[in-house]
Each structure stands twice: as C-alpha cells, then as structure tokens.
Amino acid sequence: MPIDDEDFESEYISDDRKLQLFTDRHEFTQRFASYLNDDPSPAKILYFFGDGGNGKSLLLKHLEYHCCKRFSPQVWQQWRALPESRAAEVANFVRHAAPKTYTPIPAVRHDFGLIPIKEDKPQDRFYGLLMLRRNVAAATKKYKFKFPNYDFACFWYLLNKGESDATLSQLFPDDVIQLVTPAIETIAEFPVVAQGVAVIKGILKLSGIKGAMKLIQTRLGVSDEKADEIRRKDIDTELIDCLPKLFAADLNAAMVGKHKPERLVMLFDTHEKMWDEKRNSQGATFWYQDEWFRRLLRALDYKLGIVVAVAGRDCPVTQLRWPNASKSEIPEHLIDAQLVWHLSSADARDYLHKVEIDKADLADAVIKYASVNPDESWENLQVHPFYLGLCADVVLAERRRGIELLASDFARIPKLENKTAELIDLLLKYVDREVRFAVHSLSACRAFDEDLYMKLGARCHFLVSSANFEVLTSFSFVWKSEKRGDNWYRIHDLLRRLDADRDNQKTRRAHEVLEGYYRELGDVAEAIYHANRLDWQRGVDEWVEVFEEALEKSRYGECESLLGVRSELWIKSYFRLGRISESEGDYYAQLARYAEAKQEYLEAVAAYEHKLILTPDDEATLNNKGIALRCLGDLQSWLSEFEAAKQSYCEAIAAFNSALVIAPDDLAALNSKGIALRCLGDLQAGLSEFEAAKQSYSEALAALNSVLVIAPDSIATLNNKGNALQTLGNLQAGLSEFEAAKQSYCEAIAAFNSA
C-alpha cells in the first residue's frame, strides 16, 4: 500500500564513453537487481547519497541502461542466494546477461538538475510533475498507461490559468492530446484567465467551457464524482497539493491492470538541485522545496512493483530529515539510504585498464595520487572517481602527443590541498594551448554545442576546430547536457566552480563575450546570468529590475525565463536575496499560485531579518521587510488566514516604525506604513472589529498626511489617501454613521482630484 494508506541497449550507450567505463558499485547493482527480482519487492525508496564527483549520476545511468532486467524466479534464485562478498559476480551477471534470459523493465529518469527550458521545469511542483508524466508515458508506451484523474485535474488547473491550446498540446503526451483535441479547440475559443485577475463574462462562454470540460471528462473516463471533487478544490491552495497523489493513484491503478510490466523503475537524479542557495533555510521553509516530491513518494504503492531510486548529495534521514518533515514526512523504515563512497584501489585499477593505462607502476602512481588518503595501506585506499578521471585524462592527453608519462612524473607533483585545482592544472598543462583556452572559456557556459564553441573561439581569440572539439568532449569532466539536445555539453560543476573561485581571466572574458552575444540574441535572462558572473551585484539588480518590469506588464514568459536562471545567480547579500524572493512572491501571487507566493514572502522576510542581525539600523532593509510582510498579510487575508494576516500586518507596521525612528521623514516608510495600516483596517472591518478598524484607518491617514506635508504633489500618496478615506467611509456607512461617511467620501474625492 502507499505510505499515505499505510533489447534494451540504445545507441546512446555506445556513444557514451563514460557509461562504457563504469566500474565498481557492485553492491549497488546487486541491491538494485534485488528490488527488480525479489518477490515481493522491498517496499522502500532507494536513495544513493554522497559527495559531488563520486559518480551518483553515472550510477543511475548504469542502472537504467544495464540493470533494468527481470529474470525468471529459477534463474534469479541461484544469484539471490550469493552473499554481499560476491556482489561483483551478481553485478557482472546482471550487466552482461543475454537478452533472451530476461524481460526488459521500463525505466524513466527525472533529473532535477536539468536547465529549465519552456515547459520542461524539472523542479516545479506543477510542470515538473507533468514532465515526469510525459516521460512515464514514453517509457510505458507499449503498456498504454492511462492517468485519467491526474490529466483531468491538470486540464482544469491549466484552464483556470488561461493556458493556450498550443501550450496544452506541448504539455501532454500525444495520445491524450488526440483524445481531447475537440475539447481543446473549444477551450481555445473561450479563454479564461487566472482567478482574481478577471471574471468570465457571458453565460454562453461559461457554458461552452463547461461543455468542453465535460467532453474532456468523458473522453478521459473520469467519473462524475471524481470530476466534481477535483473542481470543488481551490486551484492554488488545494488542487495543486493533490496533484502528486492523483498522479500516484493513477500510476498505482495502471500497475494492477491486465497489461502491465512486472516492475516499473523511476530514477530521480541530482535531488540537491531542489534547494541550491536555499540549502541553509530551516524548518518548513527547507522542507517546502521538495514537498511535492515527497507527496509523490508517499502516495506510490511500492508493493505493486514500482521501484524508486533517488540520487542526491545529502542523506535523506540525517541531513534532509525526511522523517521529521513538517508535512508529508517519509518514515525512516521506508528509506534505504546507500552511501556512494570512493573507489577501492582494485576498482580504480579496473577503470584504468578500461582506458588502456595498464603499466603497473604508472597505474599505481595514478591511483595513489587520485586517492583521498594516499598514506594508507594499498587495500585501504579510497580513490576519488573525479580525481581518477582527471588523472586518466592527463595520461591520455600526453599520449595523444606521443609521450608516455612515467610513474615518477606523478611522484614529482606536489601534494596541494586543493587536488581538484592541482589535477585540472596538470591536465591542461598537457593539452594544446587552444584546447586549454577553450576549457576555461567553455566553463563560463551553462551548456554549449559546437556552434557556440566556434563563436567563443572567434571572439575570445583561440583557434577552434572540429578535431579540438572532439578532444574537449572526450574529457571525463565534460558531460552531455541531455535536455538541450544530443550535441550539447556542459563542463563539470567542480571545474566551473574552480575557474570562478580563481577569477580565471579567460573564463571572465568568455562571460563578457557571452553576455554581449545573448544580448544580441535578445535572450535577456541568459545575458543577466553572465552579467552576474562578472559583477554579482549588477546581475542581481538587473534581474530584479527586468523581472519587476516584466511582471508589471504581464510578460509572464519573460518572468519564467528569468526564473530559469535564478537558481544559478550569485547572491552575496541577504538584502538582495530578500529583493529577489519578494519579486518571486509578487509573481506567484499575481498568478494565484498562493502556496509558492507565501513561501517566497516568508523567505524574503527571513533574508531581511538575517541582514538586520548584521546591520540593525538599516532603514532600507526595515522598509523592505515591512513591504514583504504587508504582501504576505494580503495573501493570508485572501486565503482567509485572518489571524496570521493580522500578525503579518502588525509586524509590517512595526518594521516601518523602526525605520521611522532612524529617519522620521522617510517618505517611502511613511507611505508604506499608511498602506499597511489601511490593509489592517480592511481586515479588521471584515472581522467586525469596527473600533479597531477605525483606529487603523485614522493612523493610516496620519501617516499619509505626514508624507503630503513634505511632498504635497505625491500622486501615489494622494491616491493611497483617497483609498483609505473611501474604505473608512464604507465602514462608517455600514455602521449608519452617515454624516461621518459623507465627510470621508468627500475628502476621498478631494484627494483623488488633487492627484
């Protein structure tokens, strides 16, 4: 039961040298094979964790391409009985089994670290799950899995968000689109925009949309009861949180159908990318980042043959603290956490043999050098996979020049603390000057292809050629960037980080070129990323400025592009982190994505509070904290979280008061205080706290009048004053205080006239 309820080789493999060179990890292969072949399957979540560069992503690829095999009970029983000490035998049997001896198991891999492109946003709780839906459909095509309730809920969600028929066609698998095309065409004629932004006008339009949704319901095979249940949920506060469970329920149902695989493998890579710069957040803020993923994992029924394996840097029990999550916790006994550690000396030797480094003394020297504990005995050496790959690159790069390195060459290299830097320097010492320049230049790219490599060469003044590009892409630290296309690549994060930390001048020049190149293309988001690498403050400030302008003009596609680079921005101050989170909160609030908006406002407030610990008398930070709290209060009020909203408004007013103690004539603080007091008054009036509301309106007017004493021609303040007087008049009229109401309305009109 779910927690909530208590020939398979591809051409890609032959081209992927790294996968061919995969070595060791026998115990993980043996364990994974047991999940696919033991009956019943262990009802647990496999989680591979460990430091960056230890080969977790390659392990998942190995499991996907070489190990998704189901053997007959008779065959598996003899291998199942072998102890862990003979894991290598089991692993070799699984990897090299003849095709006729097993049944291929469908597998889907979801990489949280992929660069977001259009509708492919792997970390997003709506679009990420839809991306997984499309990938599952592709992996299980022969079984014709259906997701009726989940698909219906997604159509309903997107309809309320005003997505176009073109977007809908890109988000769902072809078989679903073909099924509901007539309904989509009807929806295209009757667009709906986000809740709270506009209302539907015309009974005919509304009936047309209802008819279209009824057709979608019928064609997907959703019951009236389930459709009504889905439609009754609030889009942004209830339905969005139910989508992972709806997805899992449909997948569970497919796995008990007549035509189903005996197992289904779901692989999730680079889980740590769900956090990025938010890794130091605490409590609910921390757990929110992967909450939708935990909801999904909780709702899957592993006893039906669904096998989940996750790869990430942190242990899910001790570091991610899944069992202690404030919502959607995952019990410890359902997590099979496996530490992916370094290679043994024997396995390192096996790797070197595969890349044809067989001279015993040279191999020994390389293994010693690439180990993290070189002073230990040979059998206790721990060899870092990333370092080993770099050492092999060094030997092979020199071999291409006709020179065979000796063991003594490695013995002479000083043992620096930063072995990554040491090995990169060593490798680049042995490659052509133009290749060396290219490596440092390409480390500026989030992803690159041969065309971009050529452009960088022309503008950064290094010679380029297809032969050199082939050399570059053969290095162990160059990986395919799958979602950008077959011929796109990326430099390993460790090397990119090294060039950034050293402020490598070739990398810096590449950022300058790339910023200009993307500005010429009109790709503002990518240009801002490179601007940020050149001057983090300039990049962040431009991001906020462009994002807020795009939001103000409802250019949501531009906002999405900016959000695509946001996780990779360098943000080296709490104040600017708060600015970015506040802007994101405004975006999600405007799109009625309330849970995400609330999270961003909370993170903005937390960032400003960190800043105030360092500089308690910073009036700009106090003002921004107050604005974020006021926006949070507006959101909570909209969601009927009245006590929380009241608390947020009061804290906002306190922040503005603190700013005014420092600068009594700060017009921004006075104006913002007036707005917050008016919002508090509106809330109090709605809660029938009439006297308190009157007091809030009175204080709001006092703050706004203070602004007008200093700046009598402030149009924004005159408008704010008019709004406060109007709502005060409404309250007075409701209390039958007609003369007072008349006076308030007249003063409101006068303020608007002045504006």
Side-chain angles (χ1 to χ4, degrees), residues 23-88:
T23 189
D24 188 31
R25 312 312 189 194
H26 304 309
E27 69 278 18
F28 300 140
T29 300
Q30 181 185 41
R31 184 173 291 268
F32 182 75
S34 71
Y35 273 70
L36 295 187
N37 290 279
D38 285 357
D39 288 314
S41 174
K44 291 187 175 186
I45 300 160
L46 257 176
Y47 198 111
F48 300 108
F49 70 98
D51 291 341
N54 270 358
K56 300 179 295 297
S57 294
L58 192 59
L59 171 62
L60 284 196
K61 281 189 179 182
H62 165 71
L63 298 178
E64 179 183 5
Y65 290 113
H66 292 315
C67 306
C68 289
K69 302 169 182 178
R70 171 88 172 172
F71 301 97
S72 68
Q74 296 79 8
V75 170
W76 176 244
Q77 197 59 36
Q78 57 183 312
W79 292 100
R80 182 180 184 275
L82 294 182
E84 287 188 9
S85 58
R86 297 177 64 182

Side-chain angles (χ1 to χ4, degrees), residues 30-308:
Q30 181 185 41
R31 184 173 291 268
F32 182 75
S34 71
Y35 273 70
L36 295 187
N37 290 279
D38 285 357
D39 288 314
S41 174
K44 291 187 175 186
I45 300 160
L46 257 176
Y47 198 111
F48 300 108
F49 70 98
D51 291 341
N54 270 358
K56 300 179 295 297
S57 294
L58 192 59
L59 171 62
L60 284 196
K61 281 189 179 182
H62 165 71
L63 298 178
E64 179 183 5
Y65 290 113
H66 292 315
C67 306
C68 289
K69 302 169 182 178
R70 171 88 172 172
F71 301 97
S72 68
Q74 296 79 8
V75 170
W76 176 244
Q77 197 59 36
Q78 57 183 312
W79 292 100
R80 182 180 184 275
L82 294 182
E84 287 188 9
S85 58
R86 297 177 64 182
E89 296 175 47
V90 180
N92 288 329
F93 161 71
V94 171
R95 177 167 184 167
H96 301 294
K100 293 183 179 179
T101 64
Y102 64 84
T103 301
I105 297 299
V108 57
R109 182 158 54 92
H110 185 87
D111 188 350
F112 293 115
L114 292 177
I115 298 172
I117 302 175
K118 295 183 179 178
E119 285 73 35
D120 284 341
K121 304 167 190 171
Q123 302 169 23
D124 187 89
R125 62 187 188 143
F126 180 79
Y127 291 100
L129 194 56
L130 257 181
M131 186 178 172
L132 179 63
R133 160 76 175 95
R134 294 192 298 276
N135 292 338
V136 170
T140 61
K141 192 171 183 179
K142 65 179 284 189
Y143 301 102
K144 299 180 179 179
F145 277 14
K146 304 297 181 187
F147 292 78
N149 297 324
Y150 172 75
D151 288 345
F152 178 81
C154 286
F155 275 116
W156 180 243
Y157 180 91
L158 290 164
L159 171 62
N160 280 273
K161 295 296 181 184
E163 294 289 359
S164 68
D165 57 328
T167 303
L168 292 172
S169 299
Q170 295 167 2
L171 290 174
F172 293 89
D174 290 342
D175 61 324
V176 175
I177 293 301
Q178 291 168 5
L179 198 64
V180 301
T181 292
I184 291 177
E185 290 172 350
T186 304
I187 290 172
E189 297 173 12
F190 306 111
V192 182
V193 295
Q195 294 174 338
V197 179
V199 291
I200 303 169
K201 295 183 178 180
I203 300 300
L204 290 177
K205 273 192 178 182
L206 186 56
S207 63
I209 292 167
K210 285 185 175 179
M213 285 307 301
K214 181 64 178 176
L215 180 56
I216 289 177
Q217 176 193 336
T218 302
R219 294 210 163 198
L220 292 176
V222 179
S223 69
D224 288 340
E225 180 183 6
K226 194 66 179 179
D228 289 342
E229 177 189 334
I230 289 170
R231 282 192 292 254
R232 281 196 301 269
K233 294 183 183 296
D234 181 271
I235 296 295
D236 291 288
T237 60
E238 296 174 317
L239 182 59
I240 188 70
D241 287 338
C242 287
L243 289 176
K245 193 169 183 178
L246 288 170
F247 177 95
D250 283 340
L251 184 57
N252 293 340
M255 288 297 289
V256 296
K258 199 170 188 180
H259 303 289
K260 68 175 185 67
E262 293 185 80
R263 292 287 190 275
L264 172 67
V265 172
M266 302 177 75
L267 304 168
F268 298 92
D269 199 8
T270 50
H271 182 216
E272 69 274 4
K273 286 292 183 180
M274 296 287 268
W275 287 270
D276 282 325
E277 82 288 342
K278 299 178 181 178
R279 296 177 72 77
N280 294 324
S281 54
Q282 299 294 322
T285 301
F286 176 84
W287 284 312
Y288 175 81
Q289 303 305 322
D290 74 339
E291 186 177 310
W292 72 264
F293 181 50
R294 295 198 313 276
R295 288 181 189 274
L296 172 66
L297 296 182
R298 283 176 57 89
L300 292 171
D301 191 341
Y302 302 101
K303 291 181 180 178
L304 298 175
I306 300 171
V307 176
V308 168

Side-chain angles (χ1 to χ4, degrees), residues 2 23 27 49 85 202 247 255 271 284 429 508 526 549 561 603 660 673 709:
T23 189
E27 69 278 18
F49 70 98
S85 58
F247 177 95
M255 288 297 289
H271 182 216
K429 172 184 173 184
R508 188 172 185 82
E526 201 70 31
E549 180 183 350
S561 297
E603 290 181 9
L660 291 167
K673 177 183 176 181
V709 168

Side-chain angles (χ1 to χ4, degrees), residues 480-618:
K480 282 193 172 183
S481 182
E482 294 167 18
K483 269 298 173 181
R484 293 293 290 268
D486 290 339
N487 299 311
W488 281 78
Y489 301 86
R490 61 184 176 86
I491 302 289
H492 196 287
D493 286 346
L494 289 177
L495 193 153
R496 294 179 67 208
R497 194 178 309 132
L498 176 65
D499 274 340
D501 290 344
R502 288 176 161 186
D503 194 21
N504 184 285
Q505 292 306 300
K506 297 178 182 64
T507 307
R508 188 172 185 82
R509 171 59 185 157
H511 280 302
E512 292 170 354
V513 168
L514 290 165
E515 180 186 353
Y517 170 69
Y518 283 113
R519 291 199 191 280
E520 291 171 11
L521 286 182
D523 190 338
V524 179
E526 201 70 31
I528 287 175
Y529 164 77
H530 293 289
N532 174 255
R533 284 299 193 264
L534 293 166
D535 180 342
W536 74 266
Q537 189 169 318
R538 175 169 71 91
V540 169
D541 290 347
E542 185 182 1
W543 190 97
V544 172
E545 179 184 348
V546 174
F547 189 88
E548 289 180 348
E549 180 183 350
L551 182 57
E552 182 181 353
K553 297 180 179 179
S554 301
R555 298 199 301 256
Y556 299 126
E558 190 174 341
C559 291
E560 286 291 329
S561 297
L562 290 162
L563 288 171
V565 303
R566 179 256 191 271
S567 63
E568 295 191 57
L569 293 181
W570 286 345
I571 311 171
K572 301 182 180 181
S573 85
Y574 286 118
F575 179 78
R576 284 176 170 78
L577 177 59
R579 287 286 309 280
I580 282 189
S581 296
E582 192 178 326
S583 297
E584 288 181 292
D586 294 341
Y587 168 76
Y588 290 126
Q590 192 159 314
L591 292 185
R593 293 167 64 174
Y594 301 129
E596 289 148 297
K598 185 192 295 186
Q599 185 65 22
E600 293 300 334
Y601 286 139
L602 287 170
E603 290 181 9
V605 172
Y608 292 136
E609 286 176 345
H610 278 296
K611 172 65 174 171
L612 290 168
I613 291 173
L614 302 174
T615 54
D617 295 333
D618 188 331

